[in-house]
Amino acid sequence: MLVFSIETSCDETSVCIMDKNKYIYSHIVYSQEVHKDHGGVVPELASRAHLEIIQKITTQAFKESRKKISDIDVFAATCGPGLIGPLLIGSTFSKSLAIALNKPFVPINHIESHILSPSFNNDLEYPHLCLLLTGGHTGIYLVESKKNIILLGETLDDALGETFDKIGKLLGFQYPGGPELEKRALKGNDTAYDLPTPLINENNLDFSFSGLKTAVNHIVKKNDLNNKFIEDLSSSFQFCVSKILIEKIKKALNKLETESKKISSISIVGGVSNNRYIAKRIEDFLKSHNIKIIFPTKEMMSDNAAMIAWSCLNKDINDCKDILFKANPRLEIK
Ligand code: KG4
Ligand code: ZN
């Protein structure tokens, strides 16, 4: 079975051709540049940029793969959650090809595909915990099986990636600020600034990052944006984030232990899983608890169409082919 998939939920336009043996014939990820100077994704600009590039990269993918469009058995696309304009462009494009070729169209949930992404390159044990850290979502999930994913806690305000980007903007970085902040933090002192850790003492698995962002803003306003300041503040922010994530992982493990659920591995998925500092701190903590830490492949960490194809291959196509499926910016995992 050969799948053609599209991802356009935010600011990456991506297409992939993958077969049921996980062979990737082509995978193209185009990261939009138009948002660089805006400090975040501008939905209208994102929609226009998807529209400009989608046909071009689809043609390129078929050329690279040496496959014909008529070789495709199933068409898939992200249908939510995400920005409605971008979602409509990718899903309508893929669905139109499916209709024209009389093949099934499979709608994919973006969050679910991030959560399934580490099962592409790892033999995962179930149940496991999944820490989802993207630009739009932050949550902790109990993955009982590929089909049974339970949300244990999530952010009550900003997502972690978004917080990285907003703090990056305060520090003068281009969007997305996350990767640059990690780079600048390398030379900094991670205990230079004592930052707040919201909800860390609450007995739940929810997160809150907006107060942390405000605290950083107050410090920025009182200081010169010189290199040392930027490096120390970036480093202290990452230290604070790691502390919050580790505390919440601890609470999740305790909660599951009281329910007699044995967890031996934790996956970290989404764009922020690229961050080596955070990964290392969590890994060090988990080592002392004898728990494995698992990541997707590098190409499946940030938004990409390969994880959409992989999600599609994990579905029973007869259950979910739905030519009338509507894009939904707030799509939830069923
Ligand atoms: O999963 P993703 O590609 O898109 C969404 O589904 O939202 O995540 C994008 C987010 C951005 O906020 C970006 O700044 C962040 O991931 N990110 C990072 C790093 N690389 C990407 N954040 C921190 N450190 C990084 N190295
Ligand atoms: Zn994503």
Side-chain angles (χ1 to χ4, degrees):
M1 183 162 79
L2 199 61
V3 178
F4 173 74
S5 63
I6 298 184
E7 157 60 38
T8 57
S9 66
C10 192
D11 59 333
E12 262 82 30
T13 322
S14 180
V15 297
C16 180
I17 299 170
M18 186 191 288
D19 73 11
K20 70 173 191 316
N21 298 319
K22 303 204 265 191
Y23 186 81
I24 298 177
Y25 290 87
S26 175
H27 184 209
I28 300 170
V29 182
Y30 170 78
S31 293
Q32 302 179 351
E33 304 253 314
V34 283
H35 311 289
K36 268 189 172 165
D37 298 324
H38 294 277
V41 178
V42 183
E44 172 71 19
L45 296 180
S47 299
R48 287 167 191 249
H50 284 302
L51 206 52
E52 270 168 30
I53 200 85
I54 194 154
Q55 192 170 352
K56 207 165 162 186
I57 62 173
T58 299
T59 307
Q60 190 187 334
F62 279 100
K63 203 167 168 191
E64 275 178 21
S65 66
R66 297 171 186 273
K67 294 282 174 194
K68 296 191 293 296
I69 200 148
S70 54
D71 294 332
I72 300 296
D73 300 298
V74 185
F75 291 83
T78 305
C79 285
L83 300 171
I84 189 66
L87 286 170
L88 280 169
I89 289 161
S91 60
T92 306
F93 191 91
S94 186
K95 205 187 292 180
S96 307
L97 294 174
I99 292 170
L101 289 146
N102 198 23
K103 297 282 169 68
F105 170 73
V106 176
I108 300 292
N109 180 302
H110 183 81
I111 298 300
E112 187 182 74
S113 75
H114 271 302
I115 295 170
L116 293 183
S117 64
S119 65
F120 182 80
N121 58 318
N122 295 282
D123 271 331
L124 282 173
E125 286 162 25
Y126 296 90
H128 64 262
L129 273 182
C130 175
L131 196 56
L132 171 99
L133 309 174
T134 76
H137 295 82
T138 296
I140 187 157
Y141 293 81
L142 176 66
V143 189
E144 296 261 24
S145 69
K146 283 184 180 174
K147 291 192 165 81
N148 189 12
I149 299 168
I150 300 158
L151 177 66
L152 301 178
E154 65 186 329
T155 183
L156 304 178
D157 40 57
D158 294 350
L160 183 56
E162 184 187 359
T163 310
F164 263 93
D165 298 334
K166 285 180 174 167
I167 290 179
K169 187 179 178 190
L170 293 172
L171 297 177
F173 308 156
Q174 287 188 325
Y175 174 85
E180 179 66 14
L181 195 149
E182 180 183 13
K183 223 184 283 162
R184 302 299 292 271
L186 282 174
K187 285 200 210 146
N189 169 5
D190 62 9
T191 54
Y193 295 94
D194 192 16
L195 297 170
T197 49
L199 300 190
I200 204 168
N201 295 319
E202 300 286 318
N203 198 19
N204 62 39
L205 300 175
D206 291 331
F207 301 89
S208 166
F209 295 107
S210 76
L212 174 55
K213 180 192 64 194
T214 307
V216 169
N217 191 19
H218 287 318
I219 297 172
V220 169
K221 279 193 176 141
K222 284 191 220 140
N223 284 275
D224 272 349
L225 280 186
N226 59 51
N227 280 338
K228 173 149 175 45
F229 172 73
I230 290 175
E231 287 158 8
D232 283 348
L233 190 57
S234 298
S235 192
S236 303
F237 168 70
Q238 290 198 146
F239 176 77
C240 172
V241 166
S242 312
K243 205 162 135 189
I244 296 169
L245 297 177
I246 289 170
E247 261 325 296
K248 292 294 172 173
I249 291 174
K250 250 191 232 171
K251 283 191 204 297
L253 292 172
N254 287 341
K255 173 185 152 59
L256 294 170
E257 204 176 300
T258 61
E259 294 167 11
S260 304
K261 288 200 167 113
K262 174 99 189 75
I263 299 295
S264 54
S265 53
I266 296 187
S267 62
I268 305 187
V269 304
V272 184
S273 66
N274 285 288
N275 189 296
R276 297 326 299 155
Y277 175 91
I278 291 177
K280 173 81 174 65
R281 289 200 74 92
I282 297 178
E283 191 167 9
D284 288 346
F285 162 74
L286 292 176
K287 239 184 226 157
S288 62
H289 286 69
N290 234 346
I291 294 174
K292 261 192 287 180
I293 187 165
I294 281 157
F295 294 95
T297 59
K298 185 84 187 150
E299 70 174 333
M300 285 204 197
M301 284 181 175
S302 298
D303 285 353
N304 67 89
M307 71 180 186
I308 305 303
W310 176 235
S311 277
C312 176
L313 286 164
N314 277 286
K315 289 198 180 294
D316 183 344
I317 294 189
N318 292 319
D319 277 354
C320 59
K321 67 178 168 195
D322 183 358
I323 220 90
L324 293 171
F325 190 90
K326 291 191 187 85
N328 178 354
R330 296 186 189 279
L331 185 64
E332 290 185 4
I333 298 176
K334 278 197 195 118

